[in-house]
Amino acid sequence: MSISEQIDIPHESHLKIFLRFLRFGFLAWGGPVAQIAMIRHELVDEEKWISSERFNRVLAVYQVLPGPEAHEICVYFGMLAGGRIGAFLAGLGFMTPGFLLMFALSWFYVTYGINSPIFQSVFLGMQPAVAALIVRAVHRIGGHALQANKWLWSMAFLAGFAQLLRINFLITLLTVGFVYAFAERQKIRFALTLAIAFVFSIIYFNFGIPLNAVTFSTAEVTETAATDLVSLFASGLRAGLLTFGGAYTAIPFIQHDAVEVGHWLTNAQFLDGLALSGLLPAPLIIFSTFVGYLGGGPLGAIALTVGIFLPAFAFTIIGHDYLEKLIENKSAHAFLDGVTAGVVGLIAATALGILSETILGLNAWIIFSLALLTLFLSKSKWTVAWVVAAAGLFGLFFL
């Protein structure tokens, strides 16, 4: 459907656009499904900016591309109502409440929470619950992205295997993307050759090179890893460009830079940031503000947040008209499907590492098990917030 076929799109003032989406931001509880449903109800069902069919198609495009879909939908509607400035203001309005709340909580965490026995107990209770959130996300995203396709499942396992052996995730995602693209085009020989070559490369670089060489390389990376603003921005931008399938897919990329390479926070602190984001009216990806704050203080929080949200603004502001063509390109679609499957594998491998470090002791296993069971059984949009809050209260009274 062309732009001329859209129906009843208002041309609102920039201030009105910002205030409308700021209100959406204050009401953005319950995760992306609830956020998108809220936006759709007001702008499509009630005010009829565009048809329901066009909304479904636009949403499909943004689900294929990286970035938080609810935020990108806001940018899209801002573009319709107020051009590029309207798009920027809509996205800014939607993310502002969550950013300000997370910024304040990050300051409070650093100033009072790290060394306070009370807050340590609360976060100690939250951490197993957040680990359960990640496991549930692997199941949910995997079920949607992998379905019953043996090639996609293979790409997920291959990416997870590479992640466990610390292969650079950019190399991994490019490889699995091309392997699946070849398979979809029935070039099975090319697909198998590339996959086998990748596996043998992983084995060689992990077991064929002397251990001292690997140790030296790792130490060198750790020593030179910086938490300056440029590095934090670059880390956020890289994660923002690779978040296929929702905010949870940013976890392995940010965790890799912040915990494994940069060492500016621990896995436990990383889970604390995820726990806080689950309590806020914001896209889950707002946990990047917390990670940036611990990496570089207030300016670090801004740098990492700007980096991770920049692609969500740029795709629409620079050229939304070309995005709908992308979804129709079968080769590009197959490559993105392969990358998405690879991201599922990365999340699964990252979850295993986090579980091995944080689920220690009987109490942690009880919290993790109850949280996971609740997440699987409950359909409420408030489930995540209630699970995290209840785990924090358990930690306060029993840990």
Side-chain angles (χ1 to χ4, degrees), residues 92-330:
L92 182 65
F94 186 70
M95 67 176 287
T96 293
F99 170 75
L100 293 178
L101 288 170
M102 180 57 83
F103 190 92
L105 287 173
S106 300
W107 169 83
F108 189 84
Y109 180 91
V110 171
T111 306
Y112 300 105
I114 293 179
N115 298 316
S116 167
I118 293 176
F119 291 115
Q120 284 181 346
S121 297
V122 171
F123 285 112
L124 196 61
M126 288 181 175
Q127 288 165 9
V130 176
L133 289 179
I134 299 174
V135 173
R136 179 69 178 101
V138 172
H139 179 269
R140 185 177 62 252
I141 298 171
H144 175 73
L146 307 181
Q147 302 174 27
N149 189 309
K150 62 182 181 181
W151 276 102
L152 290 176
W153 276 95
S154 299
M155 295 306 95
F157 279 113
L158 182 60
F161 175 64
Q163 176 75 353
L164 290 174
L165 295 180
R166 300 184 181 278
I167 302 300
N168 185 284
F169 57 77
L170 291 175
I171 297 174
T172 299
L173 294 180
L174 286 173
T175 301
V176 297
F178 280 117
V179 169
Y180 186 68
F182 284 135
E184 277 291 280
R185 298 180 66 179
Q186 300 303 313
K187 295 183 177 181
I188 305 301
R189 183 176 299 178
F190 284 103
L192 290 175
T193 300
L194 181 57
I196 292 172
F198 184 59
V199 171
F200 275 103
S201 298
I202 293 173
I203 294 173
Y204 174 76
F205 281 109
N206 277 272
F207 305 107
I209 297 178
L211 182 60
N212 60 346
V214 176
T215 304
F216 172 78
S217 174
T218 303
E220 184 178 42
V221 170
T222 302
E223 183 179 351
T224 58
T227 56
D228 59 272
L229 298 183
V230 174
S231 299
L232 289 167
F233 172 79
S235 176
L237 182 61
R238 182 165 56 249
L241 289 169
L242 294 171
T243 54
F244 295 92
Y248 280 100
T249 60
I251 289 173
F253 311 122
I254 297 180
Q255 190 264 357
H256 173 267
D257 287 352
V259 178
E260 297 181 11
V261 176
H263 300 292
W264 70 74
L265 75 169
T266 64
N267 263 327
Q269 292 171 332
F270 185 80
L271 289 179
D272 290 345
L274 283 170
L276 291 175
S277 66
L279 297 173
L280 300 179
L284 182 81
I285 206 169
I286 205 67
F287 77 86
S288 58
T289 302
F290 175 89
V291 176
Y293 197 103
L294 268 66
L299 292 179
I302 295 171
L304 190 59
T305 305
V306 169
I308 206 166
F309 275 92
L310 185 60
F313 284 97
F315 282 125
T316 296
I317 293 175
I318 292 176
H320 174 74
D321 291 342
Y322 298 99
L323 297 183
E324 291 189 85
K325 298 178 181 178
L326 177 64
I327 198 68
E328 298 173 2
N329 186 318
K330 292 185 178 181

Side-chain angles (χ1 to χ4, degrees), residues 14 17-18 21 74-75 77-79 81-91:
H14 291 148
I17 291 172
F18 177 77
F21 287 93
C74 290
V75 177
F77 277 113
M79 185 80 168
R84 289 183 171 85
I85 296 177
F88 173 75
L89 291 175

